[in-house]
Amino acid sequence: MFIQIEPNSDISIYEQLTRQIIEGIAKGDMQPGEILPSVRNLAADLGVNMHTVNKSYHELERKGIVVIRPKSGAVIRPKEERVLNAEQLEAIERNIKPVVAEGMVLGATEDQIESMMKKVFADLQLTTCEGL
Amino acid sequence: MFIQIEPNSDISIYEQLTRQIIEGIAKGDMQPGEILPSVRNLAADLGVNMHTVNKSYHELERKGIVVIRPKSGAVIRPKEERVLNAEQLEAIERNIKPVVAEGMVLGATEDQIESMMKKVFADLQLTTCEGL
DNA sequence: TTTTTTGTTATATTGTGTATATAACAAATT
DNA sequence: AATTTGTTATATACACAATATAACAAAAAA
């Protein structure tokens, strides 16, 4: 995995880790069904504490992205299981709202925000090759 | 102003305040050029500390949404001054990225995310009446 | 079946950020 | 002249982030 932690970021380490793992899955760097590195191994690789990685994995489980098998590992949920329920849809909308509002107030048009979204979407899905 | 603070939220008070002020401006509840309530008044209204409100106002200034005139007040920047610079565009994109990535991994399609964005956009711009 | 690795749990410490409280200051406003 | 304003300073309490160490029991590997 290609994860880069910035210790002096205003984003906490476990949050940086969580985001980068999510982006990694989105990009296809990590396939559904795969097991994430053990908390001890990844912690050693990144030079952070075991518990910080563990916290990130549990955050991913809370979001419904991985399933933690006790004493075994964190498995990326297969695509079949990724059916958006109402709760998750609301969570996404709750996340989008402040971002869009801030963009609007700063003077961005709907088109600008939409094209930004599409750009991000395209960047992430570049290596996924959905249709194959 | 119609601001509601949830003390037991996982979002900090000054962050809740910042978001709701931004949404208020987006909706048109507060017009550009208007002066935000004094930190002491708003703090008293909401039942929070003066410094918490002050922190929120400075966060709004950092984002480029208000201008603080020392010993006077925080003024909502007029629309004419709202020209998105490169830095702000990057900030918006940086905010959008993790939200879109999470949505994708949870199984949302580009269309789903796009329509969610448009819904949020429409809700916020409902009372703005741009063209009048 | 040993040995190793695994996540889990517990305790403790350090540092940072949030939020509050109180007070005083000087400039702006009334 | 009196009040209100943001600013600055100090102090306290609390929660969270991150680390360190240790021990445990189950899973995986030898």
Side-chain angles (χ1 to χ4, degrees):
Chain A
M1 265 199 298
F2 313 101
I3 289 174
Q4 194 60 37
I5 298 297
E6 293 181 38
N8 296 332
S9 168
D10 57 335
I11 302 167
S12 63
I13 296 177
Y14 89 92
E15 179 68 26
Q16 290 182 53
L17 189 49
T18 304
R19 289 189 189 181
Q20 290 190 39
I21 291 173
I22 291 175
E23 280 178 31
I25 297 173
K27 282 185 184 173
D29 294 344
M30 321 197 56
Q31 301 293 336
E34 270 186 35
I35 303 172
L36 295 181
S38 78
V39 292
R40 283 182 174 87
N41 274 343
L42 185 53
D45 282 355
L46 301 177
V48 300
N49 193 273
M50 189 193 75
H51 297 105
T52 307
V53 177
N54 197 272
K55 190 173 183 178
S56 172
Y57 283 9
H58 278 88
E59 180 74 4
L60 289 167
E61 188 178 46
R62 191 191 60 79
K63 288 176 183 287
I65 293 171
V66 306
V67 176
I68 295 178
R69 292 190 302 210
K71 321 277 175 184
S72 175
V75 187
I76 303 172
R77 295 182 77 171
K79 284 195 174 180
E80 302 81 67
E81 291 182 15
R82 297 186 199 168
V83 183
L84 279 169
N85 56 40
E87 196 186 341
Q88 286 172 321
L89 276 169
E90 284 168 24
I92 296 174
E93 198 171 314
R94 213 170 16 248
N95 291 339
I96 288 181
K97 195 174 182 183
V99 178
V100 169
E102 185 175 333
M104 282 177 63
V105 170
L106 287 175
T109 65
E110 185 169 355
D111 287 344
Q112 274 180 307
I113 295 176
E114 188 181 323
S115 70
M116 250 190 268
M117 189 213 86
K118 287 188 175 175
K119 184 186 164 194
V120 169
F121 204 93
D123 283 352
L124 290 173
Q125 213 169 30
L126 249 181
T127 50
T128 307
C129 307
E130 277 267 354
L132 304 176
Chain B
M1 263 200 301
F2 313 101
I3 289 174
Q4 194 60 38
I5 298 297
E6 293 180 38
N8 296 332
S9 169
D10 58 335
I11 302 169
S12 62
I13 295 178
Y14 88 92
E15 178 70 24
Q16 290 182 54
L17 189 49
T18 304
R19 289 189 188 181
Q20 291 190 40
I21 291 172
I22 291 175
E23 280 179 31
I25 298 173
K27 282 185 184 172
D29 294 344
M30 321 197 57
Q31 301 294 335
E34 269 186 36
I35 303 172
L36 295 181
S38 79
V39 291
R40 283 183 174 88
N41 273 343
L42 185 53
D45 282 356
L46 302 176
V48 301
N49 192 273
M50 187 193 75
H51 297 106
T52 307
V53 177
N54 197 32
K55 190 173 184 178
S56 172
Y57 283 10
H58 277 89
E59 179 76 3
L60 289 168
E61 187 177 47
R62 192 191 60 76
K63 289 176 182 286
I65 294 171
V66 306
V67 176
I68 295 178
R69 292 190 302 209
K71 320 278 176 186
S72 175
V75 187
I76 302 172
R77 295 183 77 173
K79 284 196 173 180
E80 302 82 65
E81 291 181 16
R82 297 185 199 168
V83 185
L84 279 168
N85 57 40
E87 195 186 342
Q88 287 172 322
L89 277 168
E90 284 168 24
I92 296 173
E93 198 171 315
R94 212 169 20 248
N95 290 339
I96 289 180
K97 195 175 183 182
V99 177
V100 170
E102 185 176 331
M104 280 176 64
V105 170
L106 288 174
T109 65
E110 186 169 355
D111 288 343
Q112 274 180 305
I113 296 177
E114 188 182 323
S115 68
M116 250 190 268
M117 189 213 86
K118 287 187 176 177
K119 184 186 165 196
V120 169
F121 204 93
D123 284 352
L124 290 174
Q125 216 170 28
L126 248 182
T127 51
T128 307
C129 305
E130 277 266 355
L132 305 177

